[in-house]
Every structure is written in structure tokens, then in C-alpha cells.
């Protein structure tokens, strides 16, 4: 493999994540010898841009991976299951955004700020975690490293773009229709998405009551941290926002910490930006996170409903609350995948 100037393929280049890959390759000045943009037969011949380059979309086929060094997959689970093994056999390093291989014990599930060591084994197929999970573990990991984490309770406020480019279009169209006084119909989601907050559109397990997104946050957090007993509970909800998910997180730490200690751990963390101005009531927002790399973290406060130790004028909290916002098309998808590839190709 030519790691210094690889041939890169993006499978799903016309989608919401694919578009972000193209933007990030240009922004990060990622070196490559050739860039192949692949999508379904519907998009063949469409022109995409990566900086100054104009690229013609080719069909995603088994033959498309000949000579490819790095294949970035964001074309859905079915396409990944079919074509990712073909790309690996053709000699490519594959980073997959779908959920197809995430829980496969042989496939590393990686957030580079959190478990970069999982890349070191030389796997040729690496899975990118679910977007809500990536944002949560990036924000919580600095506290986990410093104090341990015993339990996480999270509620998400998820942008519609988590469901792809067509979902952004649906929110725009429905919003315009409502403002024009017209009737709207729910198409992609089971509910209207304009001016509405509703339970995540993934299937609900009839026995546990958890939806697929909530189960992913539990299972994937445990795998990333190699902590199968970690207590995690999630409630996943969509909000009428175009991009950038937000999450309210309540933690129980392994060892109690002062607010200053918890704040210092977050302030020093890679991939995290503290936005926590109590005086000005300025905290993370989905708009401020949109189009940006870091996960914005704020509203950090000791949880008075859990044990508090008071000694020498200091208060040490066993639990903390925080609020985060992060662009799930970037850190939650394309950026994280590219960071994985950068680490893997440099090793
Ligand atoms: N959106 C997010 O925030 C996010 C975050 C993390 C992970 N992901 C995952 O990333 C993947 C893509 O998501 P997205 O939001 O970018 O979806 P999207 O906007 O709907 O784009 C889907 C892409 O996949 C292509 N595609 C679909 N079926 C195909 C097939 N049978 N053969 C070849 N290409 C096919 C589409 O090509 P055409 O344009 O030709 O149809 C398009 O390029 C999904 O697995 C999703 O779960 C998404």
C-alpha cells in the first residue's frame, strides 16, 4: 500500500456523510493519488467536487476497488456487507460507517481519542461507531480516565441529518409547507419532523422497549471502553434540527471529584471544547457545533441527587451532569473515519 499518497475510494460519496468526506479531504489537505467517488447506479455520471477537483461518480461494484488503498464506506449496511469484504480482499484498508460490522468481535470499533490502541492490531476493516455514541464517549472519556465511570444515563436530541441527505430535504420541505399554512405528510420518519420532537425512528424491541439507536449506545460504549459491565441507559429522540446532535448526560463516577477537577479534565481533552459560561448562560448548541470538529461540552455541574462528600471547604461529587453538542456528520461520521484512517495509515 502506498500510505503517503494512497488511492482513496468513497462508497456513498453522494450522501450526507459522503459529502462531508469530500469537504474534509480538502480541508485536511489529505494527500491522495486518485480519488474515486462511488454511489448507486442512479448517480452514475453526476459530478462532485473536492476542492478544485471535479469528480464523476462511478457505480459501486466489486471491480471498483482494484488498486484502492483506502476505502471509506458510507453507503448503508447492505452495501457495506456486500462490498467491504471485496475491498479488503483487493488490498484496501476499509473504514466503515455503517452498523454492519460494529459488534463483530474481530472488527475494532474505534474513536481515535478514546481507544486508538484498537487500531494497532493491523485490522484491515475498522468500524466507525454510531454517531451518538461517538459524541458521548468523546465527551465522557476524559472523566472516565481521570475518575472512572460506573454509570451513564443519556438523553439525545438528534438532528434529522442523522438519517441522511433526504431527511434534511424533508425537514426543509416540511418547514416551508407548515409556514405556508399547508398540510405536511410524514415520509421518511413515522412522524412529521418539522416543529416536532419525537422518539427515534429506529425499530423498538417489543420486549425491552429500547429502540435500535438506544441499544447501539449501550453496546458500542461497552465495546469501545472494553467494559462489558458498564451501566448505560439511553433515551434517543429526534428534534427539528438540520445537523449536529445534542445530548444530556448524567454520570456516576468511580471516584468523586470536585467541579474544578472535572472541568480541568475536560478542558485538557483532545476533541473536546468546553463551552460553559454560567454568567452569560452560554452553553453548547447544535448551531455552534455545526460544521465544526470538536464536541462542545458544557453545563457541567455536580449532581446533588447523588452522594456529595464535603471536607475542608471542598465538595466532591460522585455524580455529574453535562450537556454536549457535536456535528454527527463530522465527528459522528466522516471526521472520525478519516482520523481512524490517518492513524492506521501512519502506523
Ligand atoms: N448521517 C449521519 O449522521 C450518519 C452518521 C454515522 C453513520 N452514518 C451511516 O453512514 C451511511 C450513509 O449515511 P448518509 O447519512 O450519508 O446517507 P444518505 O445521505 O442517504 O446517503 C447514502 C449514500 O449511499 C449510497 N447508496 C445507497 N444504497 C446504495 C447501493 N445499493 N449501492 C451503492 N450506493 C448506495 C447513496 O447513493 P445514491 O445517491 O446513488 O443513492 C448515497 O451516496 C449509513 O450507513 C449511515 O447509517 C450516517
Amino acid at each position: 500500500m502506498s500510505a503517503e499518497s494512497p488511492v482513496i475510494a468513497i462508497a456513498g460519496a453522494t450522501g450526507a456523510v459522503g459529502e462531508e468526506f469530500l469537504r474534509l479531504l480538502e480541508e485536511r489537505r489529505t494527500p491522495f493519488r486518485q480519488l474515486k467517488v462511488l454511489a448507486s447506479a442512479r448517480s452514475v455520471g453526476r459530478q462532485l467536487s473536492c476542492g478544485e477537483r471535479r469528480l464523476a461518480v462511478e457505480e459501486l461494484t466489486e471491480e471498483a476497488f482494484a488498486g484502492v488503498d483506502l476505502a471509506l464506506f458510507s453507503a448503508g449496511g447492505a452495501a457495506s456487507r456486500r462490498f467491504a469484504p471485496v475491498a479488503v480482499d483487493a488490498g484496501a484498508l476499509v473504514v466503515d460507517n455503517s452498523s454492519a460490522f460494529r459488534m463483530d468481535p474481530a472488527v475494532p470499533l474505534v474513536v481515535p481519542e478514546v481507544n486508538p490502541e484498537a487500531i494497532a492490531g493491523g485490522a484491515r476493516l475498522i468500524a466507525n461507531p454510531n454517531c451518538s455514541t461517538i459524541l458521548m464517549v468523546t465527551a465522557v472519556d476524559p472523566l472516565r480516565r481521570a475518575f472512572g465511570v460506573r454509570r451513564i444515563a443519556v438523553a439525545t436530541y438528534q438532528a434529522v441529518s442523522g438519517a441522511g441527505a433526504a431527511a434534511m430535504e424533508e425537514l426543509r420541505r416540511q418547514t416551508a409547507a407548515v409556514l405556508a399554512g399547508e398540510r405536511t405528510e410524514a415520509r421518511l420518519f413515522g412522524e412529521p419532523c418539522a416543529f416536532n420532537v419525537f422518539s427515534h425512528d429506529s425499530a423498538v424491541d417489543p420486549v425491552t422497549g429500547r429502540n435500535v439507536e438506544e441499544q447501539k449506545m449501550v453496546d458500542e460504549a461497552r465495546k469501545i471502553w472494553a467494559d462489558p459491565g458498564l451501566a448505560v441507559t439511553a433515551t434517543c429522540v429526534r428534534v427539528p434540527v438540520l445537523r449536529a446532535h445534542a445530548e444530556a448526560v448524567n454520570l456516576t463516577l468511580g471516584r468523586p471529584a470536585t467541579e474544578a477537577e472535572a472541568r480541568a479534565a475536560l478542558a485538557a481533552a483532545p476533541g473536546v471544547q468546553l463551552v460553559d459560561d454560567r454568567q452569560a448562560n452560554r452553553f453548547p448548541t447544535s448551531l455552534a457545533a455545526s460544521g465544526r470538529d470538536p464536541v462542545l461540552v458544557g453545563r457541567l455541574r455536580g449532581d446533588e441527587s447523588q452522594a456529595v462528600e464535603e471536607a475542608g471547604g471542598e465538595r466532591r461529587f460522585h455524580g455529574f451532569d453535562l450537556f454536549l453538542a457535536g456535528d454527527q456528520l463530522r465527528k459522528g461520521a466522516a471526521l472520525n473515519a478519516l482520523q481512524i484512517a490517518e492513524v492506521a495509515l501512519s502506523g
Side-chain angles (χ1 to χ4, degrees), residues 151-155 210 214 218 231-235:
R151 178 175 186 266
I152 303 175
V154 58
R210 287 191 283 278
E214 290 160 357
V218 175
V232 184
T233 183
T235 300

Side-chain angles (χ1 to χ4, degrees), residues 105-131:
V107 175
L109 184 66
V110 177
V111 178
E113 291 88 344
V114 177
N115 63 337
E117 68 283 354
I119 303 176
R124 306 302 299 158
L125 170 59
I126 299 175
N128 213 43
N130 161 271
C131 47

Side-chain angles (χ1 to χ4, degrees), residues 12 14-17 39-40 42-43 60 74-76 97-98 161-162 164-165 328-329 332-333:
T14 53
V17 177
S40 77
R42 297 179 287 274
S43 300
L60 174 58
S74 62
N97 266 292
S98 81
S161 55
Q328 95 292 342
L329 291 172

Side-chain angles (χ1 to χ4, degrees), residues 25 102 127 130 143 150 179 219 233 296 320 325 335:
L25 287 172
R102 287 181 192 150
N130 161 271
L143 299 173
R150 295 218 320 263
L179 292 176
D219 296 340
T233 183
L296 309 183
F320 277 89
L335 173 62

Side-chain angles (χ1 to χ4, degrees), residues 2-303:
S2 175
E4 281 179 9
S5 187
V7 176
I8 301 179
I10 302 174
T14 53
V17 177
E19 190 183 323
E20 214 53 43
F21 271 132
L22 292 169
R23 202 170 284 140
L24 281 163
L25 287 172
E26 172 65 13
E27 269 179 38
R28 295 170 81 81
R29 300 260 176 259
T30 305
F32 55 80
R33 206 159 68 247
Q34 190 194 344
L35 179 58
K36 300 180 79 169
V37 286
L38 310 172
S40 77
R42 297 179 287 274
S43 300
V44 171
R46 249 185 81 180
Q47 294 287 315
L48 302 179
S49 300
C50 180
E52 304 280 282
R53 289 183 182 79
R54 296 286 165 271
L55 305 155
V57 175
E58 298 170 49
E59 186 176 355
L60 174 58
T61 61
E62 298 192 353
E63 292 69 40
F65 296 100
V68 169
D69 299 306
L70 169 64
L72 301 164
F73 271 75
S74 62
S80 289
R81 270 186 290 276
R82 179 164 169 210
F83 294 107
V86 175
V88 169
D89 286 347
L93 169 74
V94 172
V95 186
D96 181 34
N97 266 292
S98 81
S99 58
F101 303 103
R102 287 181 192 150
M103 295 312 295
D104 181 334
V107 175
L109 184 66
V110 177
V111 178
E113 291 88 344
V114 177
N115 63 337
E117 68 283 354
I119 303 176
R124 306 302 299 158
L125 170 59
I126 299 175
N128 213 43
N130 161 271
C131 47
S132 306
T133 310
I134 292 177
L135 302 178
M136 178 180 78
V137 300
T138 302
V140 171
D141 194 62
L143 299 173
R144 191 193 66 91
R145 282 175 192 266
F147 315 108
V149 166
R150 295 218 320 263
R151 178 175 186 266
I152 303 175
V154 58
T156 68
Y157 308 74
Q158 297 187 220
V160 296
S161 55
M168 296 171 90
E169 195 40 48
E170 176 144 321
L171 178 57
R172 288 194 184 96
R173 195 179 41 72
Q174 282 188 359
T175 303
V178 171
L179 292 176
E182 295 162 9
R183 278 171 55 90
T184 59
E185 273 175 39
R187 285 197 197 152
L188 282 176
F189 304 106
E191 305 282 348
C193 58
F195 302 99
N196 199 14
V197 171
F198 55 98
S199 184
H200 193 274
D201 38 291
S202 55
V204 179
D205 184 308
V207 177
T208 66
R210 287 191 283 278
N211 63 44
V212 169
E213 186 82 355
E214 290 160 357
Q215 193 62 52
K216 283 176 182 173
M217 292 190 81
V218 175
D219 296 340
E220 295 184 19
R222 289 173 171 169
K223 178 169 175 178
I224 293 163
W225 279 319
D227 185 355
L230 179 66
V232 184
T233 183
T235 300
C236 292
V237 165
R238 289 250 188 241
V239 292
V241 161
L242 276 175
R243 62 188 284 169
H245 293 348
E247 302 180 13
V249 181
N250 179 262
L251 300 170
T252 304
L253 301 181
R255 295 178 296 286
T258 65
E259 271 190 6
E261 288 168 343
R263 194 175 303 279
L266 287 166
V272 166
Q273 184 185 338
L274 259 184
V275 181
D276 202 23
D277 186 342
R278 290 178 180 177
Q279 250 184 337
N281 207 343
R282 244 195 91 247
F283 300 112
T285 68
S286 47
L287 279 182
S290 292
R292 300 207 37 226
D293 289 351
V295 179
L296 309 183
V297 180
R299 303 240 44 223
L300 179 73
R301 59 214 190 271
D303 176 3

